[in-house]
Amino acid sequence: MKIDIIFANFMGGDILKTINNHSLKTFILDLKKKDKGRIVSNYGGWQSNYLSVQENVLKDLLIEIEKNLVPFGQALHLRKEFKLKVEGLWANVNGSGAVNTPHIHNRSILSGVYYVTHPENSGNLKLMNPNLFNHVTFSFMGKIETFIETPTPFTTNNMEFAGLPGALVIFPSHICHYVLPNLSKEVRISISFNTTLIKEVKKEDHEKEKINA
């Protein structure tokens, strides 16, 4: 019998080498002093409210993120008039012991995170397979075991991403994910974001719509 792949997920990662992380770190830590932030998935850490995309310090990062969204649009075979664009972004500061509990990002196409700092042992990002059957284990003589001999993309239950300063990772927003505890004595600083789709209308098409109206 021929076996077809009918549904699939993906993620992408890159190291951005042109971003001024020192300026981002200063901006975020200064903001933390003035803004008590919000609690969403963060436990023990600080998360900012939405940042303005007009902030000059974020300009280069936004350009690089949207440049890296282009291959995702190609992989999704978006119609040429549609484009993935950053819709909202926020900063995270996770000190020793801080975690982010499992969550998804509603009303978003793709989500991602950029690591301004990522000290060793400061907590990796984990993506969970949406097929909950892949998280099933069984107990045999007091030992927890899995039923899979060799993990494959069909059966892997978690994908772990070890961040590095300057690392950018992007993944579908519906994938449940969380961040392991920061076991270092230094803070991990990151910027998370969501995306949306915008439709670019040609000037001549816009004129036609005005005439038809």
Side-chain angles (χ1 to χ4, degrees), residues 33-45:
K33 294 175 184 177
K34 299 178 285 187
D35 180 3
K36 67 177 183 179
R38 58 181 186 170
I39 297 176
V40 183
S41 67
N42 47 312
Y43 182 80

Side-chain angles (χ1 to χ4, degrees), residues 52-71:
S52 170
V53 295
Q54 304 302 320
E55 290 281 358
N56 192 55
V57 71
L58 298 174
K59 183 175 68 174
D60 290 341
L61 178 61
L62 283 166
I63 290 171
E64 287 299 317
I65 291 174
E66 295 194 348
K67 190 185 299 182
N68 278 273
L69 288 174
V70 173

Side-chain angles (χ1 to χ4, degrees), residues 5-12 72 76 109-110 127-131 134 153-154 156 159 170-176:
I5 299 174
I6 58 171
F7 301 111
N9 280 302
F10 52 84
M11 66 175 289
F72 286 92
L76 293 169
I109 309 295
L110 301 175
L127 308 179
M128 299 174 63
N129 191 325
N131 182 353
N134 289 323
F154 297 109
T156 302
M159 177 65 70
I170 301 173
F171 52 89
S173 302
H174 68 267
I175 291 184
C176 189

Side-chain angles (χ1 to χ4, degrees), residues 89-100:
L89 70 168
W90 59 95
N92 309 284
V93 179
N94 280 16
S96 183
V99 301
N100 285 80

